[in-house]
Amino acid sequence: VAGTKQFKVTVPAEMAEGPVEVRADGYFGRSTSRFLTIAAKDAPVIADAGAVHHDPAKAPALPLDALAHGTTDANQIDRWKVTLKKGQRVLVHCQAERIDSRADATLTLTDAQGIERERSRDEIGRDPLIDFTAPADGDYLVGVHDFLYNGGAEYAYVLTSSTRPWIDAVFPPAGQEGQVLEATLLGRNLPGGS
């Protein structure tokens, strides 16, 4: 956008969801890369609810497979409400480092009584991931904050809760170009897996 530090990015319709790196070429050369997250075409996107996040009683809903984005606030915890059924396994995933944020995100998950059930910090690099199976039907609160409780516009995060499969590793990790090989997937919520 002329006269600002904003750019309009067009995403091709066939682009797969996930993180992408974007660079700009200009008069003085090529910029450093910036990360963008491409959301699934049918995924609801939820914007930061501001100070409402800080009150557990007013925590906005985070539907399964929605993509929520926000920024951490200094000395505060953003809270999101996730509704689960007994035995439902959910992966709560926060991206901060991987989207070039200054936030060193920490995730917590508490039950309706305020008892902390899970906590995660550096699961994928410096980004947290919670793997949780609900012991009972109900609402659970996901908390997001910077490890040092810093905040501001440069402390952005992207948050999802999902029951979809998650791949942690593939073995063997690679083969020869053009070679067909059998691989073992290691992960969570894998269909037919254990």
Side-chain angles (χ1 to χ4, degrees):
V1 179
T4 70
K5 294 181 181 179
Q6 298 177 350
F7 296 87
K8 182 177 180 179
V9 177
T10 303
V11 179
E14 66 277 0
M15 177 72 93
E17 65 179 286
V20 294
E21 289 184 62
V22 177
R23 293 183 177 87
D25 289 325
Y27 181 77
F28 294 106
R30 179 169 282 178
S31 71
T32 56
S33 64
R34 300 295 293 183
F35 288 94
L36 297 176
T37 299
I38 307 300
K41 294 168 186 58
D42 57 349
V45 178
I46 304 167
D48 190 346
V52 170
H53 282 294
H54 307 149
D55 182 355
K58 296 180 182 175
L62 178 62
L64 290 176
D65 297 317
L67 188 72
H69 60 87
T71 57
T72 62
D73 295 316
N75 302 314
Q76 297 289 341
I77 298 175
D78 284 2
R79 298 203 189 329
W80 298 85
K81 181 172 60 175
V82 179
T83 304
L84 301 173
K85 299 285 185 195
K86 181 178 180 177
Q88 189 173 24
R89 185 178 183 185
V90 66
L91 302 176
V92 182
H93 176 231
C94 182
Q95 294 180 56
E97 178 186 38
R98 286 171 291 152
I99 61 168
D100 205 19
S101 171
R102 291 188 65 186
D104 185 357
T106 298
L107 282 179
T108 59
L109 190 138
T110 57
D111 62 19
Q113 289 76 39
I115 298 170
E116 185 175 301
R117 296 291 187 152
E118 295 286 339
R119 174 177 291 269
S120 177
R121 186 162 162 249
D122 296 338
E123 186 75 23
I124 305 162
R126 285 182 21 211
D127 288 343
L129 170 73
I130 288 178
D131 184 346
F132 178 71
T133 302
D137 291 359
D139 293 333
Y140 295 84
L141 291 179
V142 174
V144 183
H145 65 87
D146 177 68
F147 176 67
L148 296 175
Y149 288 92
N150 290 318
E154 295 180 344
Y155 290 81
Y157 64 85
V158 176
L159 182 68
T160 58
S161 63
S162 178
T163 57
R164 295 177 7 187
W166 178 277
I167 297 174
D168 287 311
V170 177
F171 185 81
Q176 297 295 324
E177 185 176 339
Q179 177 186 15
V180 175
L181 61 96
E182 189 172 310
T184 302
L185 300 178
L186 304 173
R188 309 153 203 248
N189 285 340
L190 299 177
S194 59

